[in-house]
Amino acid sequence: MRRLLTSLVIAMTIAGSAPALAVQVVPPGNRHAEQPDIPGASVRRTKGTKTTFDLKYEKVYDLLSTDHELMGKIKKVSNAYGINPIHVIGAIVGEHTYNVDAYDRLQAYYVKAASYAGESFRFAYEGESVDDFVDRPQFAACNGKSDSYTLWTCREDVWESDFRGKTIGGKSFPNNRFSAVFFQPFYAGQTFGLGQVNPLTALMLSDLVSRVSGYPKLNEKNAGSVYKAIMDPDISLAFVAASIRRSIDDYREIAGVDISDNPGVTATLYNVGNSRKRAAALAAKNRSSGTTIWPEENYYGWLINDKLDELKGLF
């Protein structure tokens, strides 16, 4: 009951005066009988480190089952955001099975985070800082957005429509994601920390995390503070939970479906991102088909649902 009340308060804070929809609960389990294909990049990365997905899963499972301090933090942050801990566990397991290797203990994440302390870098592309970039006239419609989620989502939409893969004023922009072009100053595709949070995602969720967890709001002008947030396990767990909370609320408010009892779906959205757009696409499909089409899990979410009983045994 306490988690439900917390969830409702957070959802009301996010949704404001949005009209209520008739909500349908997504059935448990996987929609696919077999695991969808794993991307080649993940396969190559795992082979390159001379390991397997099974071994990586076992490693992160062992970390969670033996690190009682970490599990305590996961339960606490999940309660704060009104979600079941299995969603946070699913995100961490998925990331460390398919994207990175888990460290042996929580302290190793703190050490890794400390190694970036004091580093001087900024979010930019070919000498143009992202702060200057979003001052361009194409982003004018975003200026009235006060919440960090709607502000950065708007800016990401403008990037997709007006800049991605195009030449503007003699300057060519890559046919790549906004986050990959401007928010990864070390190398493309880089995410960090226990939850492998993307810097742009952290900026989007900054207001929600500040309201619920009390951490200072992030600013794109201070890239170091963004990386501290996503590297520090205590802070990054709040962003993991906030991301899942946001996905659940987006699907409820936009598509009229409740995904909170299907960790495979929330894990999938944690992996692929853009929950707002995906919820809108699902809503459009359901309207045009006249039937109920459920959100489907990808390879990452499929694993979480497949291992659900084992993962629930962690708490």
Side-chain angles (χ1 to χ4, degrees), residues 21-48:
L21 295 175
V23 177
Q24 295 180 287
V25 178
V26 175
N30 287 318
R31 307 281 77 82
H32 296 278
E34 297 183 357
Q35 185 177 30
D37 291 341
I38 300 170
S42 183
V43 173
R44 290 189 295 273
R45 185 163 53 243
T46 298
K47 285 184 177 179

PDB file of all heavy atoms in Angstrom, residues 21-48:
ATOM      1  N   LEU A  21      -6.705   7.916 -18.362  1.00  0.00           N
ATOM      2  CA  LEU A  21      -7.089   6.965 -19.398  1.00  0.00           C
ATOM      3  C   LEU A  21      -7.551   5.680 -18.730  1.00  0.00           C
ATOM      4  O   LEU A  21      -7.150   5.372 -17.608  1.00  0.00           O
ATOM      5  CB  LEU A  21      -5.895   6.664 -20.308  1.00  0.00           C
ATOM      6  CG  LEU A  21      -5.340   7.798 -21.160  1.00  0.00           C
ATOM      7  CD1 LEU A  21      -4.103   7.298 -21.887  1.00  0.00           C
ATOM      8  CD2 LEU A  21      -6.364   8.305 -22.154  1.00  0.00           C
ATOM      9  N   ALA A  22      -8.399   4.941 -19.420  1.00  0.00           N
ATOM     10  CA  ALA A  22      -8.737   3.605 -18.958  1.00  0.00           C
ATOM     11  C   ALA A  22      -7.493   2.743 -19.155  1.00  0.00           C
ATOM     12  O   ALA A  22      -6.995   2.614 -20.276  1.00  0.00           O
ATOM     13  CB  ALA A  22      -9.910   3.057 -19.761  1.00  0.00           C
ATOM     14  N   VAL A  23      -7.001   2.172 -18.062  1.00  0.00           N
ATOM     15  CA  VAL A  23      -5.709   1.488 -18.108  1.00  0.00           C
ATOM     16  C   VAL A  23      -5.896  -0.017 -18.136  1.00  0.00           C
ATOM     17  O   VAL A  23      -6.659  -0.587 -17.350  1.00  0.00           O
ATOM     18  CB  VAL A  23      -4.845   1.891 -16.897  1.00  0.00           C
ATOM     19  CG1 VAL A  23      -3.533   1.124 -16.900  1.00  0.00           C
ATOM     20  CG2 VAL A  23      -4.590   3.390 -16.908  1.00  0.00           C
ATOM     21  N   GLN A  24      -5.192  -0.682 -19.052  1.00  0.00           N
ATOM     22  CA  GLN A  24      -5.183  -2.138 -19.144  1.00  0.00           C
ATOM     23  C   GLN A  24      -3.844  -2.659 -18.648  1.00  0.00           C
ATOM     24  O   GLN A  24      -2.792  -2.101 -18.968  1.00  0.00           O
ATOM     25  CB  GLN A  24      -5.415  -2.591 -20.586  1.00  0.00           C
ATOM     26  CG  GLN A  24      -6.793  -2.242 -21.146  1.00  0.00           C
ATOM     27  CD  GLN A  24      -6.937  -2.732 -22.571  1.00  0.00           C
ATOM     28  OE1 GLN A  24      -6.348  -2.174 -23.477  1.00  0.00           O
ATOM     29  NE2 GLN A  24      -7.721  -3.786 -22.767  1.00  0.00           N
ATOM     30  N   VAL A  25      -3.902  -3.730 -17.877  1.00  0.00           N
ATOM     31  CA  VAL A  25      -2.685  -4.300 -17.293  1.00  0.00           C
ATOM     32  C   VAL A  25      -2.032  -5.262 -18.283  1.00  0.00           C
ATOM     33  O   VAL A  25      -2.687  -6.184 -18.792  1.00  0.00           O
ATOM     34  CB  VAL A  25      -2.998  -5.030 -15.975  1.00  0.00           C
ATOM     35  CG1 VAL A  25      -1.726  -5.657 -15.401  1.00  0.00           C
ATOM     36  CG2 VAL A  25      -3.616  -4.057 -14.967  1.00  0.00           C
ATOM     37  N   VAL A  26      -0.759  -5.049 -18.564  1.00  0.00           N
ATOM     38  CA  VAL A  26      -0.013  -5.930 -19.466  1.00  0.00           C
ATOM     39  C   VAL A  26       0.157  -7.294 -18.802  1.00  0.00           C
ATOM     40  O   VAL A  26       0.577  -7.379 -17.645  1.00  0.00           O
ATOM     41  CB  VAL A  26       1.373  -5.331 -19.799  1.00  0.00           C
ATOM     42  CG1 VAL A  26       2.201  -6.304 -20.626  1.00  0.00           C
ATOM     43  CG2 VAL A  26       1.211  -4.008 -20.528  1.00  0.00           C
ATOM     44  N   PRO A  27      -0.172  -8.378 -19.485  1.00  0.00           N
ATOM     45  CA  PRO A  27      -0.033  -9.715 -18.891  1.00  0.00           C
ATOM     46  C   PRO A  27       1.420 -10.004 -18.524  1.00  0.00           C
ATOM     47  O   PRO A  27       2.354  -9.478 -19.140  1.00  0.00           O
ATOM     48  CB  PRO A  27      -0.504 -10.650 -20.010  1.00  0.00           C
ATOM     49  CG  PRO A  27      -1.307  -9.793 -20.935  1.00  0.00           C
ATOM     50  CD  PRO A  27      -0.704  -8.431 -20.861  1.00  0.00           C
ATOM     51  N   PRO A  28       1.626 -10.853 -17.535  1.00  0.00           N
ATOM     52  CA  PRO A  28       2.999 -11.227 -17.168  1.00  0.00           C
ATOM     53  C   PRO A  28       3.647 -12.083 -18.241  1.00  0.00           C
ATOM     54  O   PRO A  28       2.980 -12.597 -19.139  1.00  0.00           O
ATOM     55  CB  PRO A  28       2.800 -12.018 -15.868  1.00  0.00           C
ATOM     56  CG  PRO A  28       1.412 -12.566 -15.975  1.00  0.00           C
ATOM     57  CD  PRO A  28       0.619 -11.522 -16.703  1.00  0.00           C
ATOM     58  N   GLY A  29       4.969 -12.226 -18.135  1.00  0.00           N
ATOM     59  CA  GLY A  29       5.693 -13.122 -19.021  1.00  0.00           C
ATOM     60  C   GLY A  29       6.067 -12.517 -20.359  1.00  0.00           C
ATOM     61  O   GLY A  29       5.796 -11.347 -20.635  1.00  0.00           O
ATOM     62  N   ASN A  30       6.694 -13.331 -21.174  1.00  0.00           N
ATOM     63  CA  ASN A  30       7.175 -12.914 -22.486  1.00  0.00           C
ATOM     64  C   ASN A  30       6.135 -13.154 -23.566  1.00  0.00           C
ATOM     65  O   ASN A  30       5.417 -14.151 -23.543  1.00  0.00           O
ATOM     66  CB  ASN A  30       8.453 -13.682 -22.845  1.00  0.00           C
ATOM     67  CG  ASN A  30       9.655 -13.212 -22.034  1.00  0.00           C
ATOM     68  OD1 ASN A  30       9.841 -12.024 -21.830  1.00  0.00           O
ATOM     69  ND2 ASN A  30      10.466 -14.162 -21.573  1.00  0.00           N
ATOM     70  N   ARG A  31       6.101 -12.250 -24.514  1.00  0.00           N
ATOM     71  CA  ARG A  31       5.238 -12.434 -25.681  1.00  0.00           C
ATOM     72  C   ARG A  31       5.916 -13.352 -26.700  1.00  0.00           C
ATOM     73  O   ARG A  31       5.255 -13.985 -27.504  1.00  0.00           O
ATOM     74  CB  ARG A  31       4.907 -11.081 -26.337  1.00  0.00           C
ATOM     75  CG  ARG A  31       4.335 -10.021 -25.403  1.00  0.00           C
ATOM     76  CD  ARG A  31       2.856 -10.230 -25.115  1.00  0.00           C
ATOM     77  NE  ARG A  31       2.600 -11.286 -24.146  1.00  0.00           N
ATOM     78  CZ  ARG A  31       2.668 -11.111 -22.822  1.00  0.00           C
ATOM     79  NH1 ARG A  31       3.003  -9.932 -22.318  1.00  0.00           N
ATOM     80  NH2 ARG A  31       2.407 -12.100 -22.005  1.00  0.00           N
ATOM     81  N   HIS A  32       7.246 -13.381 -26.677  1.00  0.00           N
ATOM     82  CA  HIS A  32       8.010 -14.226 -27.608  1.00  0.00           C
ATOM     83  C   HIS A  32       8.326 -15.567 -26.951  1.00  0.00           C
ATOM     84  O   HIS A  32       8.784 -15.610 -25.806  1.00  0.00           O
ATOM     85  CB  HIS A  32       9.331 -13.544 -28.000  1.00  0.00           C
ATOM     86  CG  HIS A  32       9.152 -12.268 -28.757  1.00  0.00           C
ATOM     87  ND1 HIS A  32       8.915 -12.229 -30.113  1.00  0.00           N
ATOM     88  CD2 HIS A  32       9.191 -10.977 -28.348  1.00  0.00           C
ATOM     89  CE1 HIS A  32       8.798 -10.978 -30.505  1.00  0.00           C
ATOM     90  NE2 HIS A  32       8.967 -10.194 -29.456  1.00  0.00           N
ATOM     91  N   ALA A  33       8.112 -16.640 -27.692  1.00  0.00           N
ATOM     92  CA  ALA A  33       8.416 -17.968 -27.156  1.00  0.00           C
ATOM     93  C   ALA A  33       9.920 -18.170 -27.006  1.00  0.00           C
ATOM     94  O   ALA A  33      10.379 -18.837 -26.073  1.00  0.00           O
ATOM     95  CB  ALA A  33       7.837 -19.047 -28.071  1.00  0.00           C
ATOM     96  N   GLU A  34      10.694 -17.583 -27.907  1.00  0.00           N
ATOM     97  CA  GLU A  34      12.152 -17.691 -27.851  1.00  0.00           C
ATOM     98  C   GLU A  34      12.766 -16.305 -27.760  1.00  0.00           C
ATOM     99  O   GLU A  34      12.156 -15.308 -28.177  1.00  0.00           O
ATOM    100  CB  GLU A  34      12.685 -18.416 -29.089  1.00  0.00           C
ATOM    101  CG  GLU A  34      12.197 -19.861 -29.203  1.00  0.00           C
ATOM    102  CD  GLU A  34      12.804 -20.570 -30.404  1.00  0.00           C
ATOM    103  OE1 GLU A  34      13.545 -19.923 -31.178  1.00  0.00           O
ATOM    104  OE2 GLU A  34      12.523 -21.776 -30.568  1.00  0.00           O
ATOM    105  N   GLN A  35      13.961 -16.238 -27.242  1.00  0.00           N
ATOM    106  CA  GLN A  35      14.636 -14.953 -27.066  1.00  0.00           C
ATOM    107  C   GLN A  35      14.898 -14.277 -28.413  1.00  0.00           C
ATOM    108  O   GLN A  35      15.474 -14.896 -29.317  1.00  0.00           O
ATOM    109  CB  GLN A  35      15.954 -15.141 -26.319  1.00  0.00           C
ATOM    110  CG  GLN A  35      16.658 -13.826 -25.991  1.00  0.00           C
ATOM    111  CD  GLN A  35      17.932 -14.036 -25.192  1.00  0.00           C
ATOM    112  OE1 GLN A  35      18.601 -15.067 -25.329  1.00  0.00           O
ATOM    113  NE2 GLN A  35      18.277 -13.068 -24.359  1.00  0.00           N
ATOM    114  N   PRO A  36      14.483 -13.019 -28.563  1.00  0.00           N
ATOM    115  CA  PRO A  36      14.811 -12.286 -29.789  1.00  0.00           C
ATOM    116  C   PRO A  36      16.315 -12.179 -29.980  1.00  0.00           C
ATOM    117  O   PRO A  36      17.097 -12.337 -29.028  1.00  0.00           O
ATOM    118  CB  PRO A  36      14.181 -10.905 -29.541  1.00  0.00           C
ATOM    119  CG  PRO A  36      13.076 -11.168 -28.558  1.00  0.00           C
ATOM    120  CD  PRO A  36      13.602 -12.252 -27.668  1.00  0.00           C
ATOM    121  N   ASP A  37      16.724 -11.911 -31.209  1.00  0.00           N
ATOM    122  CA  ASP A  37      18.148 -11.854 -31.532  1.00  0.00           C
ATOM    123  C   ASP A  37      18.883 -10.807 -30.698  1.00  0.00           C
ATOM    124  O   ASP A  37      18.384  -9.700 -30.482  1.00  0.00           O
ATOM    125  CB  ASP A  37      18.341 -11.534 -33.011  1.00  0.00           C
ATOM    126  CG  ASP A  37      17.905 -12.685 -33.907  1.00  0.00           C
ATOM    127  OD1 ASP A  37      17.807 -13.818 -33.407  1.00  0.00           O
ATOM    128  OD2 ASP A  37      17.667 -12.432 -35.102  1.00  0.00           O
ATOM    129  N   ILE A  38      20.071 -11.183 -30.258  1.00  0.00           N
ATOM    130  CA  ILE A  38      20.944 -10.261 -29.516  1.00  0.00           C
ATOM    131  C   ILE A  38      21.759  -9.470 -30.531  1.00  0.00           C
ATOM    132  O   ILE A  38      22.300 -10.047 -31.479  1.00  0.00           O
ATOM    133  CB  ILE A  38      21.871 -11.052 -28.572  1.00  0.00           C
ATOM    134  CG1 ILE A  38      21.031 -11.860 -27.570  1.00  0.00           C
ATOM    135  CG2 ILE A  38      22.827 -10.113 -27.842  1.00  0.00           C
ATOM    136  CD1 ILE A  38      21.842 -12.849 -26.756  1.00  0.00           C
ATOM    137  N   PRO A  39      21.873  -8.157 -30.385  1.00  0.00           N
ATOM    138  CA  PRO A  39      22.621  -7.355 -31.360  1.00  0.00           C
ATOM    139  C   PRO A  39      24.057  -7.828 -31.520  1.00  0.00           C
ATOM    140  O   PRO A  39      24.710  -8.267 -30.558  1.00  0.00           O
ATOM    141  CB  PRO A  39      22.569  -5.944 -30.760  1.00  0.00           C
ATOM    142  CG  PRO A  39      21.359  -5.946 -29.892  1.00  0.00           C
ATOM    143  CD  PRO A  39      21.259  -7.333 -29.326  1.00  0.00           C
ATOM    144  N   GLY A  40      24.550  -7.707 -32.742  1.00  0.00           N
ATOM    145  CA  GLY A  40      25.908  -8.153 -33.046  1.00  0.00           C
ATOM    146  C   GLY A  40      26.964  -7.459 -32.219  1.00  0.00           C
ATOM    147  O   GLY A  40      27.971  -8.066 -31.833  1.00  0.00           O
ATOM    148  N   ALA A  41      26.764  -6.167 -31.918  1.00  0.00           N
ATOM    149  CA  ALA A  41      27.755  -5.424 -31.142  1.00  0.00           C
ATOM    150  C   ALA A  41      27.921  -6.029 -29.751  1.00  0.00           C
ATOM    151  O   ALA A  41      29.041  -6.140 -29.240  1.00  0.00           O
ATOM    152  CB  ALA A  41      27.348  -3.957 -31.029  1.00  0.00           C
ATOM    153  N   SER A  42      26.817  -6.436 -29.150  1.00  0.00           N
ATOM    154  CA  SER A  42      26.882  -7.057 -27.829  1.00  0.00           C
ATOM    155  C   SER A  42      27.560  -8.415 -27.897  1.00  0.00           C
ATOM    156  O   SER A  42      28.362  -8.773 -27.028  1.00  0.00           O
ATOM    157  CB  SER A  42      25.467  -7.199 -27.249  1.00  0.00           C
ATOM    158  OG  SER A  42      25.508  -7.735 -25.957  1.00  0.00           O
ATOM    159  N   VAL A  43      27.274  -9.164 -28.947  1.00  0.00           N
ATOM    160  CA  VAL A  43      27.900 -10.473 -29.135  1.00  0.00           C
ATOM    161  C   VAL A  43      29.407 -10.318 -29.313  1.00  0.00           C
ATOM    162  O   VAL A  43      30.206 -11.014 -28.679  1.00  0.00           O
ATOM    163  CB  VAL A  43      27.290 -11.197 -30.352  1.00  0.00           C
ATOM    164  CG1 VAL A  43      28.063 -12.480 -30.657  1.00  0.00           C
ATOM    165  CG2 VAL A  43      25.812 -11.498 -30.106  1.00  0.00           C
ATOM    166  N   ARG A  44      29.803  -9.372 -30.156  1.00  0.00           N
ATOM    167  CA  ARG A  44      31.243  -9.165 -30.411  1.00  0.00           C
ATOM    168  C   ARG A  44      31.963  -8.681 -29.159  1.00  0.00           C
ATOM    169  O   ARG A  44      33.095  -9.113 -28.868  1.00  0.00           O
ATOM    170  CB  ARG A  44      31.432  -8.158 -31.547  1.00  0.00           C
ATOM    171  CG  ARG A  44      31.018  -8.696 -32.918  1.00  0.00           C
ATOM    172  CD  ARG A  44      31.438  -7.749 -34.033  1.00  0.00           C
ATOM    173  NE  ARG A  44      30.749  -6.463 -33.949  1.00  0.00           N
ATOM    174  CZ  ARG A  44      29.563  -6.219 -34.497  1.00  0.00           C
ATOM    175  NH1 ARG A  44      28.921  -7.176 -35.156  1.00  0.00           N
ATOM    176  NH2 ARG A  44      29.006  -5.029 -34.399  1.00  0.00           N
ATOM    177  N   ARG A  45      31.329  -7.781 -28.423  1.00  0.00           N
ATOM    178  CA  ARG A  45      31.951  -7.252 -27.212  1.00  0.00           C
ATOM    179  C   ARG A  45      32.155  -8.356 -26.181  1.00  0.00           C
ATOM    180  O   ARG A  45      33.195  -8.424 -25.513  1.00  0.00           O
ATOM    181  CB  ARG A  45      31.069  -6.138 -26.648  1.00  0.00           C
ATOM    182  CG  ARG A  45      31.656  -5.400 -25.450  1.00  0.00           C
ATOM    183  CD  ARG A  45      30.936  -4.079 -25.216  1.00  0.00           C
ATOM    184  NE  ARG A  45      29.487  -4.257 -25.121  1.00  0.00           N
ATOM    185  CZ  ARG A  45      28.617  -3.733 -25.965  1.00  0.00           C
ATOM    186  NH1 ARG A  45      29.034  -3.000 -26.992  1.00  0.00           N
ATOM    187  NH2 ARG A  45      27.315  -3.922 -25.805  1.00  0.00           N
ATOM    188  N   THR A  46      31.191  -9.233 -26.054  1.00  0.00           N
ATOM    189  CA  THR A  46      31.294 -10.330 -25.088  1.00  0.00           C
ATOM    190  C   THR A  46      32.352 -11.335 -25.510  1.00  0.00           C
ATOM    191  O   THR A  46      33.159 -11.789 -24.692  1.00  0.00           O
ATOM    192  CB  THR A  46      29.919 -11.011 -24.927  1.00  0.00           C
ATOM    193  OG1 THR A  46      28.986 -10.053 -24.423  1.00  0.00           O
ATOM    194  CG2 THR A  46      29.998 -12.182 -23.978  1.00  0.00           C
ATOM    195  N   LYS A  47      32.387 -11.679 -26.793  1.00  0.00           N
ATOM    196  CA  LYS A  47      33.420 -12.590 -27.277  1.00  0.00           C
ATOM    197  C   LYS A  47      34.801 -11.984 -27.122  1.00  0.00           C
ATOM    198  O   LYS A  47      35.775 -12.680 -26.821  1.00  0.00           O
ATOM    199  CB  LYS A  47      33.164 -12.934 -28.749  1.00  0.00           C
ATOM    200  CG  LYS A  47      32.016 -13.908 -28.972  1.00  0.00           C
ATOM    201  CD  LYS A  47      31.888 -14.275 -30.440  1.00  0.00           C
ATOM    202  CE  LYS A  47      30.778 -15.307 -30.660  1.00  0.00           C
ATOM    203  NZ  LYS A  47      30.621 -15.657 -32.093  1.00  0.00           N
ATOM    204  N   GLY A  48      34.886 -10.664 -27.334  1.00  0.00           N
ATOM    205  CA  GLY A  48      36.170  -9.978 -27.233  1.00  0.00           C
ATOM    206  C   GLY A  48      36.763 -10.016 -25.841  1.00  0.00           C
ATOM    207  O   GLY A  48      37.985  -9.920 -25.675  1.00  0.00           O
TER     208      GLY A  48
END
